[in-house]
């Protein structure tokens, strides 16, 4: 097996995550799909690291994980506070700024 | 593993088998994350996908990232997701009504096109030489040591900024979820006085029907068989979510009596008595 297959898998997972962000309405599930996309990117980084034979790709993947953790903390706090004020976790309901 | 990874552009048969088996699991997990109706099921399938990805990191020679993936992602982040699903409510399902016409099909089409472009791009790139991580991992004595020597020399500035980012995120989450108390908390004396001044001095009667139902939304029955309003909480009363079982329990009682009468042959006796 050629290790390029890991890249194809990463592309597939990223695509599924992107489609999920577009299709789903529940804010929590949309967030999970974003996490899926981040994970697919990490897989690509690790595979590239193996391809080039140096560890820089793994460092970038490590930083991606840290940023993802920070993003999840703030994003879930926003979802909880929106749910408190509007009693809904649907992304369609937050449409106050719409004309 | 590192020796195998170093071997030119082909992996071992074992890794190929592992890739195809677990790759299918990962794709199924990703698809069910998108397609499952309940957020809890989505979270669990996403956790499965992340564990599979951790195994792939280990297979690619990224030992540190593999462990961190399990500890941080499936251990911390997915549990955080489950906590929020618990807070926001499992019942908060997606509305099936489309606000934009045909948005779902357009989104699925966009996703398909994007995937085709991405995969065709990878297919066209010449990615045939794989150096493997063998030398990079052994250079400083191991994967973790190699990562550490890079993080604390070349990437030290990014590392410091990351620390600032984490502190900011923590403070942000605290600010966002913090609620100010708008009125003074009652002390024990005021609470007890309020209770004595209220209408109901003893504890409220319990809900449920003895030995049949003990759910909180079923009112207890008074001696004459009518449901008692007091036994169900105010919220459920206002929402009209009370299940009245007074007739049902009377019917069941009647059926029970009839059955026990049939078993004991009481009907015959009654008929004989009637005669």
């Amino acid at each position: 097996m050629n290790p390029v297959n890991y890249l194809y898998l990463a592309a597939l997972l990223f695509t599924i995550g992107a489609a999920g962000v577009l299709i789903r309405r529940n804010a929590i599930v949309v967030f999970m799909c974003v996490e899926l996309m981040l994970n697919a990117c990490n897989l690509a980084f690790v595979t590239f690291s193996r391809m080039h034979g140096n560890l820089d790709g793994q460092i970038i993947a490590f930083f991606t994980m840290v940023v993802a953790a920070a993003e999840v903390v703030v994003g879930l706090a926003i979802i909880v506070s929106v749910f408190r004020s509007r009693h809904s976790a649907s992304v369609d309901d937050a449409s106050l700024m719409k004309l | 593993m590192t020796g195998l990874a170093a071997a030119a552009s082909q992996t071992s048969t074992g890794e190929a088998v592992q890739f195809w088996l677990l790759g299918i699991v990962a794709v199924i997990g990703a698809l069910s994350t998108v397609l499952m109706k309940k957020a809890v099921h989505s979270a669990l399938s996403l956790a499965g996908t992340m564990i599979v990805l951790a195994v792939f990191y280990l297979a690619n020679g990224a030992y540190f990232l593999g462990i961190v993936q399990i500890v941080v992602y499936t251990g911390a982040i997915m549990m955080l997701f489950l906590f929020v699903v618990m807070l926001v409510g499992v019942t908060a399902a997606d509305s099936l009504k489309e606000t934009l016409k045909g948005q779902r099909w357009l989104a699925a089409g966009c996703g398909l096109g994007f995937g085709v472009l991405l995969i065709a791009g990878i297919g066209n790139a010449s990615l045939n030489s794989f150096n493997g991580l063998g030398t990079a991992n052994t250079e400083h004595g191991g994967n973790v040591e190699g990562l550490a020597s890079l993080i604390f020399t070349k990437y030290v500035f990014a590392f410091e900024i990351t620390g600032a980012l984490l502190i900011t995120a923590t403070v942000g989450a605290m600010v966002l979820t913090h609620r100010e108390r708008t009125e003074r908390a009652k002390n024990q004396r005021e609470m007890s006085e309020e209770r004595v001044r209220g209408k109901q001095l003893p504890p409220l009667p319990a809900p449920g029907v003895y030995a049949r139902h003990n759910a909180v939304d079923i009112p207890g029955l008074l001696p004459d068989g009518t449901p008692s309003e007091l036994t169900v909480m105010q919220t459920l009363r206002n929402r009209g979510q009370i299940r009245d079982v007074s007739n049902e329990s009377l019917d069941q009682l009647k059926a029970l009596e009839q059955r026990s009468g049939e078993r004991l042959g009481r009907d015959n006796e009654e008929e004989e008595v009637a005669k």
Side-chain angles (χ1 to χ4, degrees):
Chain A
M1 183 193 84
N2 194 333
V4 171
N5 285 351
Y6 283 115
L7 293 183
Y8 287 119
L9 179 69
L12 197 57
L13 291 182
F14 190 93
T15 310
I16 293 172
V21 169
L22 292 176
I23 289 173
R24 294 303 296 260
R25 305 283 168 68
N26 192 337
I28 299 173
V29 182
V30 169
F31 226 66
M32 284 184 215
C33 293
V34 173
E35 288 301 308
L36 186 63
M37 289 161 74
L38 284 169
N39 266 284
C41 290
N42 275 353
L43 182 62
F45 274 129
V46 169
T47 313
F48 280 128
S49 156
R50 184 186 183 182
M51 179 193 283
H52 295 294
N54 59 28
L55 293 176
D56 292 65
Q58 291 185 26
I59 301 274
I60 304 289
F62 173 71
F63 283 135
T64 313
M65 277 185 189
V66 177
V67 172
E71 173 231 341
V72 161
V73 167
V74 175
L76 287 180
I78 290 173
I79 290 176
V80 167
S81 56
V82 166
F83 182 80
R84 263 191 201 152
S85 58
R86 334 195 96 226
H87 296 285
S88 151
S90 172
V91 285
D92 278 350
D93 288 353
S95 58
L96 266 180
M97 306 272 280
K98 201 167 148 190
L99 283 176
Chain B
M1 187 64 77
T2 45
L4 294 173
S9 65
Q10 289 293 314
T11 59
S12 64
T13 329
E15 197 187 333
V17 171
Q18 184 199 44
F19 174 81
W20 290 117
L21 284 181
L22 291 182
I24 290 169
V25 174
V27 172
I28 290 174
L31 280 176
S32 52
T33 303
V34 175
L35 298 177
M36 284 282 182
K37 256 182 201 161
K38 285 188 178 168
V40 183
H41 296 163
S42 294
L44 288 179
S45 26
L46 186 58
T49 306
M50 283 174 174
I51 288 176
V52 170
L53 286 181
V55 175
F56 283 161
Y57 294 166
L58 293 176
N60 272 324
Y63 306 117
F64 178 68
L65 279 186
I67 302 298
V68 165
Q69 168 88 2
I70 290 181
V71 172
V72 173
Y73 258 110
T74 49
I77 292 185
M78 289 320 295
M79 293 313 116
L80 198 62
F81 266 109
L82 286 179
F83 263 110
V84 171
V85 169
M86 186 184 78
L87 278 179
V88 167
V90 186
T91 50
D94 260 4
S95 61
L96 292 170
K97 198 183 67 175
E98 284 196 335
T99 39
L100 299 172
K101 217 174 190 182
Q103 185 240 355
R104 262 178 216 176
W105 292 112
L106 275 175
C110 282
L112 198 69
F114 178 69
V116 167
L117 279 179
L118 207 55
I119 287 171
I122 295 171
N124 271 328
S126 57
L127 303 169
N128 288 321
S129 64
F130 262 74
N131 295 325
L133 279 171
T135 51
N137 268 348
T138 50
E139 192 181 0
H140 293 276
N143 181 243
V144 181
E145 286 87 346
L147 285 181
S149 69
L150 270 178
I151 283 180
F152 292 115
T153 55
K154 194 174 166 190
Y155 293 98
V156 68
F157 195 59
F159 186 67
E160 302 280 341
I161 300 263
T162 312
L165 175 74
L166 280 177
I167 290 288
T168 317
T170 316
V171 173
M174 279 172 66
V175 168
L176 279 171
T177 52
H178 181 71
R179 254 199 290 202
E180 287 288 334
R181 184 182 277 280
T182 49
E183 54 192 13
R184 193 174 57 83
K186 286 177 193 159
N187 57 25
Q188 198 176 5
R189 183 181 188 87
E190 286 166 341
M191 276 160 72
S192 66
E193 279 172 359
E194 201 171 81
R195 172 156 182 184
V196 173
R197 284 207 193 92
K199 283 176 192 166
Q200 182 85 14
L201 194 55
L204 288 168
V209 180
Y210 178 62
R212 292 207 168 266
H213 309 276
N214 59 1
V216 286
D217 61 340
I218 291 173
L221 301 183
L222 294 173
D224 58 347
T226 51
S228 164
E229 284 275 295
L230 270 181
T231 56
V232 184
M233 67 163 106
Q234 178 96 43
T235 321
L236 291 178
R237 255 184 279 156
N238 290 348
R239 282 195 206 150
Q241 283 183 337
I242 300 175
R243 275 192 289 160
D244 185 8
V245 291
S246 55
N247 294 326
E248 190 190 327
S249 64
L250 283 180
D251 288 346
Q252 280 173 346
L253 201 63
K254 203 186 284 173
L256 193 69
E257 270 178 5
Q258 195 185 346
R259 257 180 286 149
S260 62
E262 279 169 13
R263 167 130 354 141
L264 296 170
R266 221 178 260 155
D267 288 350
N268 300 339
E269 285 173 21
E270 280 174 14
E271 279 168 21
E272 283 169 17
V273 169
K275 278 172 192 174

